[in-house]
């Protein structure tokens, strides 16, 4: 057991000496401030933020200075928030006078007249084509 403890002490001493030598080799940074460069402001373009791809589109409807409806569209998802008109005798803090409503999520929109619209547009395109004038009579 004596041999193991002296071996551990010798190994620990060697590791500490090695760590001390590694720490002594590091150089301290200088006290002088870093050298700065002047930028030519005449060639600089004004900074404009890049448009974000998933930025929400918010549309508000107002009536009489109050916001009555807010539509928010982010990517493929969209929802509508509508205000509640409180009853005449209730105040805002009452249970019957709450102006908050749950958001209405747009789950799916269906276009049932798609075939009719496509047919009417095709007919309008063929009718709108100019008719060439008849050929001039030969003399």
């Amino acid at each position: 057991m004596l041999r193991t403890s002296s071996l551990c002490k010798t190994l620990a001493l060697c590791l500490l000496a090695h760590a001390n030598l590694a720490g002594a080799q590091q150089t301290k940074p200088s006290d002088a401030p870093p050298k700065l460069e002047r930028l030519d402001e005449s060639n600089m373009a004004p900074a404009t933020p890049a448009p974000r791809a998933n930025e929400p589109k918010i549309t508000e409807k107002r009536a009489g200075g109050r916001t009555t409806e807010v539509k928010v569209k982010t990517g493929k998802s969209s929802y509508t928030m509508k205000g509640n008109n409180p009853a005449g005798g209730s105040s805002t803090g009452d249970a019957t006078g709450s102006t908050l409503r749950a958001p209405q999520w747009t789950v799916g929109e269906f276009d049932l007249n798609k075939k009719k619209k496509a047919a009417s547009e095709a007919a309008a395109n063929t009718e709108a084509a100019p008719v060439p004038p008849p050929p001039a009579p030969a003399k």
Side-chain angles (χ1 to χ4, degrees):
M1 194 77 176
L2 182 61
R3 179 178 266 182
T4 310
S5 65
S6 65
L7 181 65
C8 288
K9 289 179 184 177
T10 308
L11 182 63
L13 185 62
C14 290
L15 288 175
L16 284 174
H18 182 66
N20 192 14
L21 287 176
Q25 290 178 356
Q26 292 180 352
T27 59
K28 292 184 180 179
S30 67
D31 293 334
K35 191 173 184 179
L36 302 176
E37 298 178 14
R38 289 209 173 257
L39 297 176
D40 186 18
E41 294 181 14
S42 62
N43 295 339
M44 301 284 286
T48 55
R52 291 191 235 163
N54 293 334
E55 188 171 329
K57 181 181 177 187
I58 301 173
T59 307
E60 292 184 358
K61 289 185 181 178
R62 295 181 174 260
R66 288 184 49 198
T67 303
T68 57
E69 183 177 330
V70 177
K71 291 184 179 183
V72 179
K73 182 171 176 123
T74 305
K76 293 182 179 180
S77 132
S78 64
Y79 64 93
T80 304
M81 298 280 295
K82 293 183 181 179
N84 227 2
N85 291 334
S90 62
S91 62
T92 306
D94 294 344
T96 58
S98 175
T99 59
L100 299 176
R101 281 175 65 177
Q104 299 171 348
W105 293 91
T106 306
V107 177
E109 294 179 350
F110 302 98
D111 190 10
L112 300 175
N113 296 325
K114 188 175 183 179
K115 291 180 181 178
K116 291 180 183 178
K117 287 181 183 178
S120 65
E121 287 178 5
N125 288 341
T126 57
E127 291 174 5
V131 179
K139 290 185 182 181

